Amino acid sequence: MAHQPNSHAQGQYMQQQFTLQAQLPQQNHMQQQQQQHPLQQVHQSLQPHPHPQPQPPSQNPPRPNFQMSLLPPPQDRLYPDFTTLLTDVKSFARTQGYAVVIGSSLNRDSEGNYRRYNLSCAKGGKSYASHSKGIRNTRSTKTGCPMRMKAVQEKAHPYDDKWHVVVQCAEHNHEPFTGEPGVSVPAQFRKIEPDGARWLMIMHREAQLTLRQLTIGIRISFGEKYQYVKKSDVRNMLAKMKREEERKAAQLAAQQGLPSNVPYTIIPQQHQPPPPPPVSVQQMPALPEGMHVPDPDLESDDDEVEDL
């Protein structure tokens, strides 16, 4: 007897075949889209693509905050005098990326000494537009920085006639100076103080160093204090010291009755030769009346012409 297939199993097999035939056209269509001709791909790439619409700027953009690096000087320190206070404040401000300048002074005591100084950031004040037509292309570095403080000498306890700092506004509106190349160095970081000026004078006169050697030497000798000093700063300081010496020499010459409009070089007292020892001089006795002769220094030098 021949074996007859099951009708239920045969129906499931026919249904699977029908489903596969229905899926084949969709797969072939997707493969055709993926395997396009290169010319069609180039044509599609040349079609203009819609650009994204720019977002409107916010009405209040976030203001940059640099207070984390531009910290104010500490207010819990006491100083014996204003010079010590100013030196410490400038050193601290330099580590934070800004410079401090003296704005004004007031409150004098009975001896005429100031008891208060107003300090501010070097970038405080209004910016100005230079109208110069010279070679230099100068521009203002002022940004109207609101940072300010005061140095006060108070007699009451716990200050006991010591100086201290009172920060009135600790906010800045500019970025800190980091020393990166190409960034303008604040003029306060290039100022040569008396210790550096004395070193320049000795090296310039005794060692006969050139301008380049002096600039490199002051940077190495003083470390970070004068690391931003330029050759122009050294040249200006040498010229300033020379003018100061000429002015003092002219004042001393005027006191001695010499013309004050002539440049003098005053030799220090320790370098001058010692005075000669005193010599005893005997006075010549008076001549008799018959031996007196006319003094030639009192006669005229014009020769008289005799008539022939």
Side-chain angles (χ1 to χ4, degrees):
M1 177 180 287
H3 177 71
Q4 294 182 359
N6 190 358
S7 58
H8 180 68
Q10 187 176 5
Q12 289 182 353
Y13 174 77
M14 295 296 295
Q15 186 176 2
Q16 291 177 359
Q17 292 295 329
F18 179 77
T19 305
L20 291 175
Q21 291 179 2
Q23 293 177 355
L24 283 176
Q26 297 179 0
Q27 295 178 358
N28 294 336
H29 180 68
M30 294 176 63
Q31 293 178 0
Q32 290 178 1
Q33 289 182 350
Q34 294 177 359
Q35 299 178 358
Q36 292 181 350
H37 195 273
L39 293 178
Q40 295 180 353
Q41 296 179 0
V42 173
H43 178 72
Q44 291 181 359
S45 63
L46 295 177
Q47 295 296 328
H49 297 281
H51 296 282
Q53 295 295 331
Q55 297 294 333
S58 58
Q59 298 296 332
N60 297 321
R63 180 179 178 275
N65 186 4
F66 307 111
Q67 296 185 21
M68 296 304 295
S69 58
L70 297 169
L71 298 177
Q75 305 183 60
D76 56 350
R77 300 180 182 179
L78 298 178
Y79 305 92
D81 50 33
F82 175 72
T83 304
T84 307
L85 180 146
L86 186 62
T87 302
D88 184 68
V89 169
K90 286 184 175 181
S91 301
F92 180 86
R94 182 166 182 163
T95 61
Q96 300 299 316
Y98 65 97
V100 174
V101 295
I102 301 176
S104 60
S105 55
L106 61 158
N107 295 351
R108 289 193 179 189
D109 56 9
S110 58
E111 299 179 357
N113 300 320
Y114 291 105
R115 302 182 62 87
R116 171 179 171 177
Y117 290 87
N118 294 327
L119 309 178
S120 62
C121 178
K123 290 185 175 293
K126 296 181 180 180
S127 177
Y128 68 92
S130 176
H131 301 285
S132 175
K133 298 182 181 179
I135 301 177
R136 297 181 179 179
N137 184 16
T138 59
R139 64 181 184 275
S140 175
T141 59
K142 303 291 186 180
T143 61
C145 181
M147 190 272 177
R148 65 182 185 275
M149 53 189 166
K150 61 180 179 180
V152 186
Q153 182 185 20
E154 296 190 16
K155 296 183 178 181
H157 185 75
Y159 304 107
D160 299 332
D161 211 17
K162 298 292 182 63
W163 289 82
H164 67 102
V165 177
V166 178
V167 178
Q168 298 168 311
C169 179
E171 183 180 0
H172 294 262
N173 63 354
H174 56 88
E175 296 183 1
F177 173 74
T178 57
E180 298 179 357
V183 180
S184 178
V185 181
Q188 290 74 19
F189 293 171
R190 297 163 44 193
K191 183 179 180 181
I192 301 178
E193 298 181 358
D195 56 348
R198 182 175 180 275
W199 185 92
L200 289 176
M201 182 179 63
I202 296 175
M203 290 294 124
H204 177 63
R205 296 182 177 178
E206 303 295 335
Q208 299 293 324
L209 298 183
T210 62
L211 191 61
R212 179 176 180 273
Q213 292 172 343
L214 289 173
T215 306
I216 297 175
I218 194 173
R219 291 178 180 178
I220 297 176
S221 301
F222 293 88
E224 296 181 356
K225 185 175 183 179
Y226 297 132
Q227 62 177 337
Y228 300 115
V229 170
K230 300 180 180 180
K231 290 196 300 183
S232 59
D233 303 323
V234 176
R235 184 190 303 110
N236 295 337
M237 178 54 63
L238 293 177
K240 179 180 179 181
M241 291 188 294
K242 183 179 179 181
R243 291 192 303 268
E244 187 67 19
E245 291 181 351
E246 292 179 353
R247 184 184 64 82
K248 293 181 179 179
Q251 292 179 354
L252 184 58
Q255 295 176 0
Q256 298 177 358
L258 300 176
S260 59
N261 57 349
V262 180
Y264 294 93
T265 301
I266 303 300
I267 302 176
Q269 187 67 29
Q270 61 270 19
H271 292 246
Q272 293 181 359
V279 179
S280 59
V281 179
Q282 295 182 358
Q283 188 176 5
M284 187 177 64
L287 296 175
E289 296 181 359
M291 297 182 62
H292 283 288
V293 295
D295 190 354
D297 292 337
L298 301 178
E299 296 178 353
S300 176
D301 294 335
D302 299 334
D303 296 334
E304 295 181 359
V305 180
E306 296 181 357
D307 297 335
L308 298 177

